[in-house]
Amino acid sequence: MTEQTSPARTPQDLDELVGGGIGDSPLRPDGTLKVRGQYAYSSDLWAEDMLWGATLRSPHPHARIRSIDIGPALGHPGVYAVLTHEDVPGENIYGLKVADTPVLAEGIVRYQGEPVALVAADHPETARRALARIVVEYEVLEPITDPERAAHDDTLPRLHPGGNVVRYQPIVRGNPEAEADVVVSDVYTMGMQDQAFLGPESGLAIPAEDGGVDLFIATQWLHVDQRQTARALGLPVEKVRFTMSGVGGAFGGREDLSMQIHCCMLALRTGRPVKMVYGREESFHGHVHRHPAKMYYEHGATKDGRLVYVRARMYFDGGAYASKTPVVVSNATSLGIGPYEVPNVRIEGWGLYTNNPPCGAMRGLGAVQPAYAYESQMDKLAKALDMDPVRLRRLNAIEEGSTLHTGQVLDYPAPVAELLDRVENIPLPPDGRSGPVDIRELPGGAANTTHGEGVVRGVGYSVIIKNISYAEGADDYSTARVRLQAIAGNPVAMVHTAAAEVGQGLITVQQQIARTELGVERVNIHPNDTNVGDAGSSSASRQTYITGGAVKNACEAVREVLFERVARRFGEKPGDLSLAGGKVVSEVTGVLADLVDVLGDDVIEETREYHHLRTYELDPVSGQSPRVHVQHAFSAHRAVVDVDTELGLVKVVQLDCAQDVGKAINPDAVVGQIHGGSAQGLGLAVMEEIQVRDGKIRNASFTDYLIPTIMDMPPMTVDVIERADPNSPYGVRGVGEPPTISATPAIVNAIRNATGLNLTHTPVAPEHICGVRPS
């Protein structure tokens, strides 16, 4: 299906759009509230007798803590508690993949913004004033800020007991010393991107009568938060209960803990509810970011354009703590040659500890950085070969049955060449130079910086590969509980999972699956909490696949119980029965009964899990694995840009995308994900970068850290194809991450095409184009 603009919906349409099964596009139940500003986010939480929590953070990227004096803060009126590492009741350490992060700094701080102490007070301003009264004596140390040096210089101090290397992963295939007719090489760098979610970190902890605590929080993974928090609090997991609150965006930045443990510590110490809300500057220090990277790439090809080898070295700056750095290294190396057939490969990836801000999950985890490098290389190789860049990509594209450089054989569709064909065939925008010039359509827009002089146009392409879901042997699963009963004369289903709705539309997807499987119109979604089994993280483009599979399995189990009951009552075979429109239907005799009559006063409730196919770790020496990833997704972008070569300004004129989604459960939501992902990729291409100098963030605000607005987003044509994965529920394929990955290199390639410049850093800044460095 191809989408350009969605048709306007009239009020008469809305009733029809409330319901809908798989393949429909019903209205999101949270959509209208969000558009009207009536949706309750976690920052809107409130409780009677509530206190406010605040965090004291280190001003230094690397320092020893000589002493902490909390006395002046405790004596401040309105202050109820001041806590340090000595007050952590359980383990003063946690971490997603590696337990290396202190709850509160103990003896040393490893990055600017590291939490040192906590305050609970009767008013947020009182809490902030109390923070200023805590006296911390630091011995400032020299920060380690160069990740490549951290990888190889043994004379540097060790930031952690195991050294400064979080993970090293090589992948070798064929002859890594192979030679080729045509060779291109370069060194690429990518800056630190922020998730820039609009809703800052916030939560409310309420102490419970059983000595436990209830936390209402905006997060991406309730159960992993619960487990880490329980260990730090020294409590059994069942006494630490988490409930999902409204999430104002995530994009990976809420996978790690922020204030979860801190808020609970303050509530348990004071015996009162405690609310914490970060401001924007604190949010920049309080969550992880995308890993900056330095990447050395060399491609060799035959004279007719066949890839012979790829050699690459990649360095990822993980900052002070590990977070998802091990996974970034795995993804980057296992995806690092792109969706191409390459017989000879040597890739090495390092994830490093430094005293820079911690980095972790962000949309496109570990695939964004190498995609920028390998797609830049493909354009440079095409130029060296005097070949069309789309033709070069098509010539080397993988397909179903191809063997990746990890040794994994693709046993599902990989329509890379088709995506290139489709995006290339989307009509190009008119040049707009034949008639009068509208300055609003030029780089700089209404600022009247140009009337067209010095403006050149360029076109760029990219196509990428991204893994879906957890990999390397992780038992990736989700749990769903489905209840079916008659309420007020109507059959009603209730779906209960812990899967985080972070804005991607998962609530709607779960309703659509239940409607399809149970043949009912009314499907309610139970609030997400830890009273049901783990659903994993809302990351890795996995929830529709994994939690969707769990909901499907639970619905099938409910249906099986129901059909056994009907079979006994009507003498039918269970295999001949189906549900549709609130009725039980037999293939043999037709409609048997209304579903409400069969249910009566009974409730049918079943809980089921869904586990994807087994995956296997990368070999630590060769990098080989029979199935390192359970699924791959593919997308292609074409960007058209206008560049003012005198001022270095860029306007993206058109940004088109073709993507394989396997099966579009909700077509409108799919297109929305592609638009949103493309916007984040555009930001990384031309504007988004956290400026870090000597370990310190210099632009921790939305005044100085720029993100795309509606004025920056160009028209888009989205061409969605559906090539079902035989191994996934309904054939679905992850959607949310691929467009973020392919948008960035397409835009940078278009800028190169327009200017002829060898651009090796993203985001591309004006000084990269016009050669003037800022003072």
Side-chain angles (χ1 to χ4, degrees), residues 603-623:
V603 174
I604 301 176
E605 181 177 284
E606 296 291 333
T607 302
R608 292 292 185 273
E609 294 178 351
Y610 177 84
H611 297 248
H612 71 45
L613 293 175
R614 182 181 177 184
T615 58
Y616 301 86
E617 293 183 2
L618 291 169
D619 183 90
V621 176
S622 68

Side-chain angles (χ1 to χ4, degrees), residues 637-719:
H637 264 89
R638 183 187 65 197
V640 181
V641 302
D642 282 343
V643 183
D644 185 333
T645 56
E646 297 175 354
L647 295 178
L649 300 178
V650 176
K651 179 180 178 65
V652 182
V653 176
Q654 188 165 304
L655 187 61
D656 303 312
C657 182
Q659 184 169 333
D660 174 26
V661 304
K663 170 64 180 177
I665 301 294
N666 185 315
D668 280 1
V670 164
V671 172
Q673 284 290 304
I674 294 172
H675 277 262
S678 299
Q680 281 189 307
L682 184 152
L684 180 58
V686 295
M687 63 181 75
E688 292 190 49
E689 183 173 6
I690 297 177
Q691 299 293 334
V692 180
R693 297 290 183 273
D694 299 321
K696 294 186 176 183
I697 296 177
R698 300 179 64 187
N699 59 333
S701 74
F702 282 170
T703 300
D704 300 310
Y705 182 90
L706 303 180
I707 59 176
T709 70
I710 193 170
M711 299 299 292
D712 299 298
M713 278 304 293
M716 284 191 68
T717 297
V718 176
D719 192 350

Side-chain angles (χ1 to χ4, degrees), residues 220-227 470 475-480 497-499 529-537 542-543 546-547 550 608-610:
Q220 289 180 240
W221 190 350
L222 286 168
H223 281 83
V224 79
D225 287 6
Q226 179 195 37
R227 291 191 288 270
Y470 302 155
D475 181 15
D476 191 3
Y477 74 97
S478 183
T479 314
T497 75
D529 56 34
T530 51
N531 292 320
V532 69
D534 199 346
S537 175
R542 62 177 288 281
Q543 286 292 13
I546 307 300
T547 293
R608 292 292 185 273
E609 294 178 351
Y610 177 84

